Amino acid sequence: MKNFLTKGSVCFVTLDMGFGGAEKVIATLANKFIQSGREVTILTLIDQNDFIHALDSRVKLQTLSIKNFKMSFFALCKFFYKNKFDNFIANIWPLTVFSFLVRFISPKTNLVLIEHCILSEQYRDKNIVFKILQKISITIFYKFAHHIISVSKGVKNDLIAHGAPKNKISVIYNPLMPDLVNENHSVNQDILRWMQGDHINLIAIGQLIKAKNFINLIKSIDLLVNKNKQKVRLVILGDGSERAVMHESIERYNLENSIFLPGWVDDPMPYLRLSDLLILSSDYEGFGLVILEALSVGVNVVSTNCKTGPSEILKDGEFGFLCTVGDSSALASSVNFALKNPLSKERLISRASDFLPDKITQQYEKILI
């Protein structure tokens, strides 16, 4: 291990630092690397940072302020010429592809690529030409990386199928982040009032996008409330392109008094602690960080069995409840079963401790210079 004062510098590059799982991971690792004695820079293409109050003040923040993503190639070239780092960590395709440039401009830099997504699922609707070009880009340019990190075994298998070199890929799970709580955060009183009463509190957290399949979740709540007459309330924390469609679905099933969409919150933990159950209804997940957050406070989890991150975190149902993807009836049944047969709080918290930042950071330290 290098001396505390001589550890190599680190630069993370990502699209932005808006609320999201990958961004939480970057913020957590950046704080840990700073604390260990490294100089750390976070470079974003877009000038958005929702983690400004959660980051260590010593972390340097830079943005390329790019409006057209196609220009990022040239902007990155210019940045690489002007700045030198010992370790360069690129997050998520296609930024991972563009980052091969650092090997030519700064040959001594240790290039690490991190993939957080199941690319075959994320880009499923793209045409065949796009998919072929994507696979070619990964096959060619990922060879320039010194290390490739996948955040789950499912992501690793997907990358290999896309042509990434198997001998360079390691699985390092995402860290839990209890140290990212914003001291300036104020609790949303509307959410607290919604969760008060003698009903069962269900919670879901994530971007309101198709991949999260919140429409399926709404249908399952319809079965629980309107068919089974159960006293449950669901709050969905997040925002995104599917908000209007979700509102329409809530109205169609007369669930205005059972489902609440308050938007984003800086810190979901106060509301998780008040919940009886976290529900993840996604069609696919690279990891599923919100599951870790729930386990860390002893809240039981029902998740669709994506065969990737969620099932790996929950160890195929040992630490939570898994159900069929896209099946509202199965999701409702799993919610019922979980509420009647909850796993112990201590057991869930113990599982979450496997993902503490110190443990995950040690794995990264082994591949950094």
PDB file of all heavy atoms in Angstrom, residues 242-267:
ATOM      1  N   GLU A 242     -42.388   9.374 -17.130  1.00  0.00           N
ATOM      2  CA  GLU A 242     -43.607   8.579 -17.017  1.00  0.00           C
ATOM      3  C   GLU A 242     -44.609   9.144 -16.008  1.00  0.00           C
ATOM      4  O   GLU A 242     -45.652   8.531 -15.762  1.00  0.00           O
ATOM      5  CB  GLU A 242     -43.258   7.141 -16.614  1.00  0.00           C
ATOM      6  CG  GLU A 242     -42.579   6.329 -17.692  1.00  0.00           C
ATOM      7  CD  GLU A 242     -43.544   5.910 -18.786  1.00  0.00           C
ATOM      8  OE1 GLU A 242     -44.405   5.051 -18.537  1.00  0.00           O
ATOM      9  OE2 GLU A 242     -43.435   6.470 -19.908  1.00  0.00           O
ATOM     10  N   ARG A 243     -44.306  10.300 -15.423  1.00  0.00           N
ATOM     11  CA  ARG A 243     -45.178  10.854 -14.380  1.00  0.00           C
ATOM     12  C   ARG A 243     -46.617  11.027 -14.864  1.00  0.00           C
ATOM     13  O   ARG A 243     -47.571  10.607 -14.184  1.00  0.00           O
ATOM     14  CB  ARG A 243     -44.620  12.184 -13.865  1.00  0.00           C
ATOM     15  CG  ARG A 243     -45.585  12.933 -12.941  1.00  0.00           C
ATOM     16  CD  ARG A 243     -44.981  14.210 -12.405  1.00  0.00           C
ATOM     17  NE  ARG A 243     -44.072  13.928 -11.306  1.00  0.00           N
ATOM     18  CZ  ARG A 243     -44.462  13.785 -10.037  1.00  0.00           C
ATOM     19  NH1 ARG A 243     -45.755  13.869  -9.726  1.00  0.00           N
ATOM     20  NH2 ARG A 243     -43.588  13.541  -9.085  1.00  0.00           N
ATOM     21  N   ALA A 244     -46.809  11.631 -16.026  1.00  0.00           N
ATOM     22  CA  ALA A 244     -48.165  11.888 -16.535  1.00  0.00           C
ATOM     23  C   ALA A 244     -48.914  10.584 -16.777  1.00  0.00           C
ATOM     24  O   ALA A 244     -50.099  10.456 -16.431  1.00  0.00           O
ATOM     25  CB  ALA A 244     -48.096  12.708 -17.825  1.00  0.00           C
ATOM     26  N   VAL A 245     -48.234   9.602 -17.351  1.00  0.00           N
ATOM     27  CA  VAL A 245     -48.858   8.296 -17.612  1.00  0.00           C
ATOM     28  C   VAL A 245     -49.240   7.621 -16.304  1.00  0.00           C
ATOM     29  O   VAL A 245     -50.312   7.011 -16.196  1.00  0.00           O
ATOM     30  CB  VAL A 245     -47.888   7.390 -18.416  1.00  0.00           C
ATOM     31  CG1 VAL A 245     -48.471   5.994 -18.599  1.00  0.00           C
ATOM     32  CG2 VAL A 245     -47.581   8.014 -19.767  1.00  0.00           C
ATOM     33  N   MET A 246     -48.390   7.751 -15.303  1.00  0.00           N
ATOM     34  CA  MET A 246     -48.678   7.159 -14.000  1.00  0.00           C
ATOM     35  C   MET A 246     -49.882   7.829 -13.346  1.00  0.00           C
ATOM     36  O   MET A 246     -50.730   7.157 -12.751  1.00  0.00           O
ATOM     37  CB  MET A 246     -47.445   7.232 -13.107  1.00  0.00           C
ATOM     38  CG  MET A 246     -46.318   6.306 -13.568  1.00  0.00           C
ATOM     39  SD  MET A 246     -44.750   6.604 -12.703  1.00  0.00           S
ATOM     40  CE  MET A 246     -45.204   6.240 -11.009  1.00  0.00           C
ATOM     41  N   HIS A 247     -49.968   9.153 -13.453  1.00  0.00           N
ATOM     42  CA  HIS A 247     -51.122   9.872 -12.906  1.00  0.00           C
ATOM     43  C   HIS A 247     -52.419   9.387 -13.558  1.00  0.00           C
ATOM     44  O   HIS A 247     -53.432   9.174 -12.882  1.00  0.00           O
ATOM     45  CB  HIS A 247     -50.956  11.376 -13.113  1.00  0.00           C
ATOM     46  CG  HIS A 247     -50.282  12.079 -11.985  1.00  0.00           C
ATOM     47  ND1 HIS A 247     -50.797  12.100 -10.703  1.00  0.00           N
ATOM     48  CD2 HIS A 247     -49.123  12.790 -11.940  1.00  0.00           C
ATOM     49  CE1 HIS A 247     -49.999  12.793  -9.912  1.00  0.00           C
ATOM     50  NE2 HIS A 247     -48.962  13.217 -10.636  1.00  0.00           N
ATOM     51  N   GLU A 248     -52.378   9.203 -14.864  1.00  0.00           N
ATOM     52  CA  GLU A 248     -53.558   8.717 -15.585  1.00  0.00           C
ATOM     53  C   GLU A 248     -53.959   7.330 -15.088  1.00  0.00           C
ATOM     54  O   GLU A 248     -55.147   7.031 -14.907  1.00  0.00           O
ATOM     55  CB  GLU A 248     -53.268   8.675 -17.087  1.00  0.00           C
ATOM     56  CG  GLU A 248     -53.143  10.045 -17.733  1.00  0.00           C
ATOM     57  CD  GLU A 248     -52.755   9.960 -19.197  1.00  0.00           C
ATOM     58  OE1 GLU A 248     -52.680   8.820 -19.721  1.00  0.00           O
ATOM     59  OE2 GLU A 248     -52.502  11.012 -19.815  1.00  0.00           O
ATOM     60  N   SER A 249     -52.972   6.485 -14.871  1.00  0.00           N
ATOM     61  CA  SER A 249     -53.245   5.123 -14.403  1.00  0.00           C
ATOM     62  C   SER A 249     -53.818   5.135 -12.987  1.00  0.00           C
ATOM     63  O   SER A 249     -54.742   4.373 -12.666  1.00  0.00           O
ATOM     64  CB  SER A 249     -51.955   4.302 -14.448  1.00  0.00           C
ATOM     65  OG  SER A 249     -52.190   2.958 -14.116  1.00  0.00           O
ATOM     66  N   ILE A 250     -53.280   6.005 -12.137  1.00  0.00           N
ATOM     67  CA  ILE A 250     -53.783   6.126 -10.766  1.00  0.00           C
ATOM     68  C   ILE A 250     -55.248   6.563 -10.773  1.00  0.00           C
ATOM     69  O   ILE A 250     -56.075   6.024 -10.023  1.00  0.00           O
ATOM     70  CB  ILE A 250     -52.910   7.121  -9.967  1.00  0.00           C
ATOM     71  CG1 ILE A 250     -51.527   6.513  -9.712  1.00  0.00           C
ATOM     72  CG2 ILE A 250     -53.584   7.495  -8.642  1.00  0.00           C
ATOM     73  CD1 ILE A 250     -50.514   7.505  -9.163  1.00  0.00           C
ATOM     74  N   GLU A 251     -55.577   7.511 -11.628  1.00  0.00           N
ATOM     75  CA  GLU A 251     -56.959   7.981 -11.728  1.00  0.00           C
ATOM     76  C   GLU A 251     -57.873   6.903 -12.311  1.00  0.00           C
ATOM     77  O   GLU A 251     -59.021   6.747 -11.872  1.00  0.00           O
ATOM     78  CB  GLU A 251     -57.013   9.245 -12.585  1.00  0.00           C
ATOM     79  CG  GLU A 251     -56.356  10.446 -11.928  1.00  0.00           C
ATOM     80  CD  GLU A 251     -56.296  11.651 -12.850  1.00  0.00           C
ATOM     81  OE1 GLU A 251     -56.736  11.526 -14.020  1.00  0.00           O
ATOM     82  OE2 GLU A 251     -55.813  12.719 -12.415  1.00  0.00           O
ATOM     83  N   ARG A 252     -57.368   6.163 -13.287  1.00  0.00           N
ATOM     84  CA  ARG A 252     -58.167   5.110 -13.927  1.00  0.00           C
ATOM     85  C   ARG A 252     -58.596   4.054 -12.921  1.00  0.00           C
ATOM     86  O   ARG A 252     -59.710   3.530 -12.976  1.00  0.00           O
ATOM     87  CB  ARG A 252     -57.363   4.466 -15.060  1.00  0.00           C
ATOM     88  CG  ARG A 252     -58.167   3.429 -15.875  1.00  0.00           C
ATOM     89  CD  ARG A 252     -57.298   2.757 -16.935  1.00  0.00           C
ATOM     90  NE  ARG A 252     -56.525   3.725 -17.677  1.00  0.00           N
ATOM     91  CZ  ARG A 252     -55.192   3.694 -17.774  1.00  0.00           C
ATOM     92  NH1 ARG A 252     -54.510   2.738 -17.163  1.00  0.00           N
ATOM     93  NH2 ARG A 252     -54.560   4.608 -18.474  1.00  0.00           N
ATOM     94  N   TYR A 253     -57.707   3.739 -11.985  1.00  0.00           N
ATOM     95  CA  TYR A 253     -58.014   2.713 -10.986  1.00  0.00           C
ATOM     96  C   TYR A 253     -58.556   3.308  -9.676  1.00  0.00           C
ATOM     97  O   TYR A 253     -58.685   2.583  -8.678  1.00  0.00           O
ATOM     98  CB  TYR A 253     -56.757   1.880 -10.687  1.00  0.00           C
ATOM     99  CG  TYR A 253     -56.299   1.036 -11.846  1.00  0.00           C
ATOM    100  CD1 TYR A 253     -55.111   1.328 -12.522  1.00  0.00           C
ATOM    101  CD2 TYR A 253     -57.046  -0.055 -12.296  1.00  0.00           C
ATOM    102  CE1 TYR A 253     -54.675   0.560 -13.597  1.00  0.00           C
ATOM    103  CE2 TYR A 253     -56.621  -0.832 -13.361  1.00  0.00           C
ATOM    104  CZ  TYR A 253     -55.438  -0.515 -14.014  1.00  0.00           C
ATOM    105  OH  TYR A 253     -55.017  -1.280 -15.077  1.00  0.00           O
ATOM    106  N   ASN A 254     -58.840   4.614  -9.685  1.00  0.00           N
ATOM    107  CA  ASN A 254     -59.375   5.276  -8.483  1.00  0.00           C
ATOM    108  C   ASN A 254     -58.481   5.076  -7.268  1.00  0.00           C
ATOM    109  O   ASN A 254     -58.945   4.731  -6.174  1.00  0.00           O
ATOM    110  CB  ASN A 254     -60.794   4.764  -8.181  1.00  0.00           C
ATOM    111  CG  ASN A 254     -61.777   5.071  -9.300  1.00  0.00           C
ATOM    112  OD1 ASN A 254     -61.817   6.198  -9.805  1.00  0.00           O
ATOM    113  ND2 ASN A 254     -62.557   4.076  -9.701  1.00  0.00           N
ATOM    114  N   LEU A 255     -57.206   5.332  -7.469  1.00  0.00           N
ATOM    115  CA  LEU A 255     -56.227   5.104  -6.405  1.00  0.00           C
ATOM    116  C   LEU A 255     -55.619   6.407  -5.878  1.00  0.00           C
ATOM    117  O   LEU A 255     -54.555   6.403  -5.270  1.00  0.00           O
ATOM    118  CB  LEU A 255     -55.108   4.188  -6.920  1.00  0.00           C
ATOM    119  CG  LEU A 255     -55.514   2.743  -7.232  1.00  0.00           C
ATOM    120  CD1 LEU A 255     -54.375   1.998  -7.932  1.00  0.00           C
ATOM    121  CD2 LEU A 255     -55.912   2.007  -5.945  1.00  0.00           C
ATOM    122  N   GLU A 256     -56.318   7.520  -6.094  1.00  0.00           N
ATOM    123  CA  GLU A 256     -55.802   8.814  -5.654  1.00  0.00           C
ATOM    124  C   GLU A 256     -55.565   8.861  -4.150  1.00  0.00           C
ATOM    125  O   GLU A 256     -54.686   9.596  -3.675  1.00  0.00           O
ATOM    126  CB  GLU A 256     -56.752   9.949  -6.046  1.00  0.00           C
ATOM    127  CG  GLU A 256     -56.889  10.174  -7.549  1.00  0.00           C
ATOM    128  CD  GLU A 256     -58.037   9.372  -8.151  1.00  0.00           C
ATOM    129  OE1 GLU A 256     -58.419   8.336  -7.563  1.00  0.00           O
ATOM    130  OE2 GLU A 256     -58.571   9.794  -9.196  1.00  0.00           O
ATOM    131  N   ASN A 257     -56.334   8.090  -3.391  1.00  0.00           N
ATOM    132  CA  ASN A 257     -56.168   8.064  -1.937  1.00  0.00           C
ATOM    133  C   ASN A 257     -55.235   6.953  -1.470  1.00  0.00           C
ATOM    134  O   ASN A 257     -55.067   6.752  -0.264  1.00  0.00           O
ATOM    135  CB  ASN A 257     -57.527   7.897  -1.263  1.00  0.00           C
ATOM    136  CG  ASN A 257     -58.448   9.085  -1.502  1.00  0.00           C
ATOM    137  OD1 ASN A 257     -57.992  10.231  -1.501  1.00  0.00           O
ATOM    138  ND2 ASN A 257     -59.728   8.819  -1.711  1.00  0.00           N
ATOM    139  N   SER A 258     -54.638   6.249  -2.436  1.00  0.00           N
ATOM    140  CA  SER A 258     -53.784   5.118  -2.081  1.00  0.00           C
ATOM    141  C   SER A 258     -52.357   5.232  -2.607  1.00  0.00           C
ATOM    142  O   SER A 258     -51.465   4.542  -2.121  1.00  0.00           O
ATOM    143  CB  SER A 258     -54.390   3.802  -2.606  1.00  0.00           C
ATOM    144  OG  SER A 258     -55.669   3.577  -2.051  1.00  0.00           O
ATOM    145  N   ILE A 259     -52.133   6.103  -3.600  1.00  0.00           N
ATOM    146  CA  ILE A 259     -50.798   6.262  -4.186  1.00  0.00           C
ATOM    147  C   ILE A 259     -50.455   7.745  -4.259  1.00  0.00           C
ATOM    148  O   ILE A 259     -51.235   8.559  -4.739  1.00  0.00           O
ATOM    149  CB  ILE A 259     -50.715   5.641  -5.595  1.00  0.00           C
ATOM    150  CG1 ILE A 259     -51.043   4.141  -5.542  1.00  0.00           C
ATOM    151  CG2 ILE A 259     -49.317   5.842  -6.187  1.00  0.00           C
ATOM    152  CD1 ILE A 259     -51.023   3.466  -6.915  1.00  0.00           C
ATOM    153  N   PHE A 260     -49.254   8.086  -3.796  1.00  0.00           N
ATOM    154  CA  PHE A 260     -48.799   9.479  -3.730  1.00  0.00           C
ATOM    155  C   PHE A 260     -47.486   9.610  -4.493  1.00  0.00           C
ATOM    156  O   PHE A 260     -46.558   8.824  -4.290  1.00  0.00           O
ATOM    157  CB  PHE A 260     -48.621   9.882  -2.262  1.00  0.00           C
ATOM    158  CG  PHE A 260     -48.186  11.306  -2.039  1.00  0.00           C
ATOM    159  CD1 PHE A 260     -48.556  12.326  -2.900  1.00  0.00           C
ATOM    160  CD2 PHE A 260     -47.405  11.628  -0.932  1.00  0.00           C
ATOM    161  CE1 PHE A 260     -48.169  13.633  -2.685  1.00  0.00           C
ATOM    162  CE2 PHE A 260     -47.012  12.935  -0.694  1.00  0.00           C
ATOM    163  CZ  PHE A 260     -47.388  13.946  -1.581  1.00  0.00           C
ATOM    164  N   LEU A 261     -47.399  10.611  -5.386  1.00  0.00           N
ATOM    165  CA  LEU A 261     -46.189  10.881  -6.159  1.00  0.00           C
ATOM    166  C   LEU A 261     -45.644  12.264  -5.778  1.00  0.00           C
ATOM    167  O   LEU A 261     -45.933  13.255  -6.438  1.00  0.00           O
ATOM    168  CB  LEU A 261     -46.481  10.853  -7.662  1.00  0.00           C
ATOM    169  CG  LEU A 261     -47.174   9.619  -8.245  1.00  0.00           C
ATOM    170  CD1 LEU A 261     -47.393   9.804  -9.748  1.00  0.00           C
ATOM    171  CD2 LEU A 261     -46.343   8.367  -7.983  1.00  0.00           C
ATOM    172  N   PRO A 262     -44.850  12.359  -4.718  1.00  0.00           N
ATOM    173  CA  PRO A 262     -44.372  13.669  -4.256  1.00  0.00           C
ATOM    174  C   PRO A 262     -43.172  14.218  -5.009  1.00  0.00           C
ATOM    175  O   PRO A 262     -42.771  15.357  -4.790  1.00  0.00           O
ATOM    176  CB  PRO A 262     -44.006  13.397  -2.796  1.00  0.00           C
ATOM    177  CG  PRO A 262     -43.592  11.960  -2.793  1.00  0.00           C
ATOM    178  CD  PRO A 262     -44.465  11.270  -3.807  1.00  0.00           C
ATOM    179  N   GLY A 263     -42.558  13.410  -5.892  1.00  0.00           N
ATOM    180  CA  GLY A 263     -41.370  13.855  -6.609  1.00  0.00           C
ATOM    181  C   GLY A 263     -40.095  13.399  -5.922  1.00  0.00           C
ATOM    182  O   GLY A 263     -40.095  12.520  -5.064  1.00  0.00           O
ATOM    183  N   TRP A 264     -38.968  14.019  -6.315  1.00  0.00           N
ATOM    184  CA  TRP A 264     -37.674  13.663  -5.744  1.00  0.00           C
ATOM    185  C   TRP A 264     -37.542  14.164  -4.312  1.00  0.00           C
ATOM    186  O   TRP A 264     -38.095  15.206  -3.957  1.00  0.00           O
ATOM    187  CB  TRP A 264     -36.539  14.260  -6.564  1.00  0.00           C
ATOM    188  CG  TRP A 264     -36.187  13.526  -7.815  1.00  0.00           C
ATOM    189  CD1 TRP A 264     -36.313  13.989  -9.096  1.00  0.00           C
ATOM    190  CD2 TRP A 264     -35.655  12.200  -7.926  1.00  0.00           C
ATOM    191  NE1 TRP A 264     -35.895  13.036  -9.992  1.00  0.00           N
ATOM    192  CE2 TRP A 264     -35.485  11.924  -9.307  1.00  0.00           C
ATOM    193  CE3 TRP A 264     -35.313  11.214  -7.004  1.00  0.00           C
ATOM    194  CZ2 TRP A 264     -34.983  10.713  -9.774  1.00  0.00           C
ATOM    195  CZ3 TRP A 264     -34.815  10.006  -7.473  1.00  0.00           C
ATOM    196  CH2 TRP A 264     -34.651   9.775  -8.836  1.00  0.00           C
ATOM    197  N   VAL A 265     -36.758  13.448  -3.517  1.00  0.00           N
ATOM    198  CA  VAL A 265     -36.338  13.918  -2.199  1.00  0.00           C
ATOM    199  C   VAL A 265     -34.823  13.774  -2.128  1.00  0.00           C
ATOM    200  O   VAL A 265     -34.244  12.901  -2.764  1.00  0.00           O
ATOM    201  CB  VAL A 265     -37.011  13.122  -1.061  1.00  0.00           C
ATOM    202  CG1 VAL A 265     -38.509  13.325  -1.069  1.00  0.00           C
ATOM    203  CG2 VAL A 265     -36.660  11.634  -1.139  1.00  0.00           C
ATOM    204  N   ASP A 266     -34.188  14.642  -1.370  1.00  0.00           N
ATOM    205  CA  ASP A 266     -32.733  14.577  -1.248  1.00  0.00           C
ATOM    206  C   ASP A 266     -32.275  13.301  -0.545  1.00  0.00           C
ATOM    207  O   ASP A 266     -31.256  12.721  -0.903  1.00  0.00           O
ATOM    208  CB  ASP A 266     -32.207  15.788  -0.462  1.00  0.00           C
ATOM    209  CG  ASP A 266     -32.339  17.083  -1.251  1.00  0.00           C
ATOM    210  OD1 ASP A 266     -32.501  17.004  -2.483  1.00  0.00           O
ATOM    211  OD2 ASP A 266     -32.302  18.151  -0.631  1.00  0.00           O
ATOM    212  N   ASP A 267     -33.039  12.887   0.445  1.00  0.00           N
ATOM    213  CA  ASP A 267     -32.649  11.733   1.257  1.00  0.00           C
ATOM    214  C   ASP A 267     -33.882  10.871   1.524  1.00  0.00           C
ATOM    215  O   ASP A 267     -34.798  11.294   2.230  1.00  0.00           O
ATOM    216  CB  ASP A 267     -32.041  12.220   2.584  1.00  0.00           C
ATOM    217  CG  ASP A 267     -31.677  11.070   3.507  1.00  0.00           C
ATOM    218  OD1 ASP A 267     -31.534   9.938   3.017  1.00  0.00           O
ATOM    219  OD2 ASP A 267     -31.537  11.308   4.724  1.00  0.00           O
TER     220      ASP A 267
END
